[in-house]
């Protein structure tokens, strides 16, 4: 009988295979369609979204209001997963209530949904990070949180790029800069906007805004929670596997070198 960690490692490998898939023709067409939609949306809409994401990014990197939870230590992966799933349920309910309320309020109140939902999502990932034992007071861990966010809400092409960096995060995070100006928040905000703009646009339509807001917010938070769990499984479960692969790689290079000089 397989233990819990072995089962989750198999699930993780399937998820990683899905994430690594290259953009399809449909993915590329969707991106082009989104670009056209962006060109007809009101300028005020673009301004609110851009400012909201820029400020949220700064709060994530330097804000103390997201660092209230201490990392949980000395519990099993199964216990961590159960805690994370409970948190996701709570935040999904919060997001649904918020989406229904702002969606029912018309176009101007509906615009307030964007920064509110951003805050809910980011707070959720911080909670999940602490559940899996990672200290969010560490600036580098906050960068990882932003990478999880991008992984869940970006075009397939950008997902592939972000995922390459995330797979070996623990191996190179000490090389990352502490300079906020080196974080590409412009790509971050544009990818996020392109991902959710169409769905959130229907939330501004009178009569159906409340229903759309509740439904879309529920789905977005659910996906983010799922990706966050897999992202931290990748840090926990892949450690030993990655170390073995790295050791084998070094040994192979050494062996090839010895064969050349014989």
């Amino acid at each position: 009988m397989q233990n819990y960690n072995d089962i989750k490692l198999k699930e993780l490998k399937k998820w990683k295979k899905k994430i690594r898939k290259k953009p399809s023709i449909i993915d590329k067409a969707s991106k082009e369609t989104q670009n056209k939609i962006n060109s007809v949306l009101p300028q005020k809409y673009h301004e609110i979204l851009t400012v909201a994401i820029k400020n949220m990014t700064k709060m994530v990197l330097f804000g103390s209001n997201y660092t209230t939870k201490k990392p949980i230590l000395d519990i099993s992966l199964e216990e961590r997963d159960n805690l994370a799933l409970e948190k996701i349920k709570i935040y999904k309910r919060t997001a649904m209530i918020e989406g229904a309320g702002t969606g029912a309020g018309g176009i101007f109140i509906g615009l307030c949904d964007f920064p509110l939902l951003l805050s809910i999502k980011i707070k959720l990932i911080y909670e999940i990070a602490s559940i899996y034992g990672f200290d969010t007071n560490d600036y580098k861990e906050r960068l990882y949180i932003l990478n999880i966010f991008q992984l869940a809400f970006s075009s397939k092409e950008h997902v592939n790029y972000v995922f390459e960096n995330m797979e070996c995060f623990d191996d190179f995070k000490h090389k990352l800069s502490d300079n906020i100006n080196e974080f590409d928040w412009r790509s971050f905000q544009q990818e996020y906007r392109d991902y959710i703009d169409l769905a959130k646009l229907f939330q501004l339509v009178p009569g159906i805004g409340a229903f759309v807001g509740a439904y879309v917010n529920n789905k977005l938070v659910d996906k983010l929670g799922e990706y966050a769990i897999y992202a931290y499984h990748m840090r926990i479960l892949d450690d030993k596997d990655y170390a073995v692969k790295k050791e084998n790689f070094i040994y192979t290079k050494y062996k090839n070198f010895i064969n050349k000089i014989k």
Side-chain angles (χ1 to χ4, degrees):
M1 184 176 178
Q2 289 182 316
N3 65 35
Y4 185 84
N5 285 26
D6 289 337
I7 294 171
K8 291 303 171 181
L9 182 57
K10 284 188 176 181
E11 292 178 1
L12 174 63
K13 288 178 178 178
K14 289 181 181 179
W15 178 78
K16 289 170 72 172
K17 187 176 181 180
K18 181 182 75 171
I19 295 297
R20 290 193 190 105
K21 286 183 179 179
K22 301 300 179 184
S24 65
I25 295 175
I26 296 176
D27 292 326
K28 294 177 180 178
S30 297
K31 183 70 173 176
E32 292 177 4
T33 300
Q34 187 59 57
N35 290 338
K36 291 180 181 179
I37 293 173
N38 283 336
S39 65
V40 299
L41 289 172
Q43 183 60 32
K44 188 67 176 177
Y45 179 84
H46 289 294
E47 290 173 1
I48 290 175
L49 267 56
T50 299
V51 171
I53 296 177
K54 183 176 181 179
N55 290 337
M56 182 275 297
T57 304
K58 290 182 177 179
M59 282 193 294
V60 169
L61 294 175
F62 294 109
S64 60
N65 56 320
Y66 286 107
T67 58
T68 55
K69 298 291 183 180
K70 292 183 179 180
I72 300 175
L73 307 174
D74 301 323
I75 63 172
S76 69
L77 182 64
E78 186 172 6
E79 290 173 304
R80 295 183 193 279
D81 286 350
N82 289 334
L83 287 174
L85 290 172
E86 283 301 314
K87 285 293 180 184
I88 292 169
K89 287 181 183 179
I90 293 170
Y91 277 85
K92 281 171 63 176
R93 286 196 293 267
T94 302
M96 287 177 68
I97 294 170
E98 183 273 317
T102 53
I107 185 168
F108 293 108
I109 295 178
L111 287 172
C112 297
D113 168 74
F114 198 91
L116 290 173
L117 182 59
L118 273 174
S119 180
I120 291 170
K121 289 175 181 175
I122 293 297
K123 184 65 176 175
L124 170 61
I125 311 183
Y126 266 85
E127 295 261 20
I128 292 177
S130 67
I131 287 171
Y132 286 98
F134 294 91
D135 186 2
T136 55
N137 285 305
D138 183 346
Y139 172 81
K140 306 297 174 60
E141 290 301 331
R142 300 188 192 191
L143 290 178
Y144 192 73
I145 284 173
L146 292 179
N147 281 335
I148 294 173
F149 203 88
Q150 292 182 87
L151 201 64
F153 307 123
S154 296
S155 64
K156 197 70 184 72
E157 185 176 359
H158 193 66
V159 164
N160 293 150
Y161 169 75
V162 170
F163 191 64
E164 284 183 8
N165 295 329
M166 291 180 69
E167 278 196 281
C168 301
F169 186 81
D170 288 315
D171 194 47
F172 75 88
K173 69 175 185 178
H174 61 281
K175 300 177 183 176
L176 296 173
S177 172
D178 290 327
N179 185 358
I180 187 177
N181 295 317
E182 293 185 16
F183 179 79
D184 187 6
W185 71 268
R186 290 181 183 276
S187 295
F188 177 89
Q189 63 96 8
Q190 190 61 59
E191 287 290 334
Y192 178 63
R193 288 179 52 186
D194 287 353
Y195 185 90
I196 73 166
D197 266 354
L198 185 59
K200 302 305 286 184
L201 189 62
F202 287 106
Q203 187 175 335
L204 306 180
V205 179
I208 65 170
F211 171 77
V212 172
Y215 178 80
V216 171
N217 283 11
N218 175 67
K219 291 297 183 182
L220 291 175
V221 172
D222 188 54
K223 181 179 182 181
L224 181 62
E226 176 193 351
Y227 274 48
I229 289 175
Y230 276 121
Y232 286 111
H233 278 190
M234 190 160 61
R235 302 277 295 280
I236 296 171
L237 294 173
D238 273 7
D239 280 353
K240 186 181 295 184
D241 188 46
Y242 177 72
V244 170
K245 288 180 180 178
K246 189 173 182 181
E247 184 178 345
N248 289 339
F249 175 72
I250 294 172
Y251 173 74
T252 302
K253 288 188 70 176
Y254 172 75
K255 190 175 180 180
N256 291 339
F257 173 74
I258 294 299
N259 289 335
K260 283 183 180 180
I261 63 176
K262 280 183 177 179

